[in-house]
Amino acid sequence: MEYPCRWIYKVIGPDEKAMEEAIGKIVRDCACTITPSNTSRTGKYHCLNLEVMVVDERHRTGVYNQLREDPAIEIVL
């Protein structure tokens, strides 16, 4: 893998707005794109695609770990 590169995280949780706010706090000033992906059949879970430029492996795993630790986010792929 060559850095810097664009990386896409799938972020899943029950509240789309809360996930967007959490993502904003985590990526701060980094340029990113957040797009809706799927919603569960019952509407209980929402999936967002987060595309962000990562500068190296440490940055990529750091964003992943911060996303996983946020209470608004249940799953990060």
Side-chain angles (χ1 to χ4, degrees):
M1 187 176 309
E2 289 187 35
Y3 291 99
C5 66
R6 305 283 304 162
W7 193 262
I8 298 175
Y9 302 91
K10 285 220 175 264
V11 181
I12 303 169
D15 184 337
E16 192 172 340
K17 293 286 184 201
M19 289 190 301
E20 289 176 358
E21 289 175 13
I23 290 168
K25 291 176 190 172
I26 292 165
V27 298
R28 291 180 218 111
D29 296 331
C30 294
C32 73
T33 304
I34 302 169
T35 54
S37 180
N38 293 317
T39 300
S40 66
R41 191 175 344 178
T42 61
K44 185 176 178 180
Y45 292 101
H46 304 276
C47 181
L48 300 174
N49 290 329
L50 165 63
E51 185 176 351
V52 64
M53 182 67 75
V54 292
V55 295
D56 56 24
E57 179 75 15
R58 184 172 167 243
H59 183 215
R60 184 179 67 81
T61 57
V63 171
Y64 173 81
N65 289 331
Q66 289 178 12
L67 290 168
R68 283 190 51 201
E69 292 170 3
D70 195 284
I73 298 170
E74 293 197 13
I75 299 171
V76 182
L77 304 171

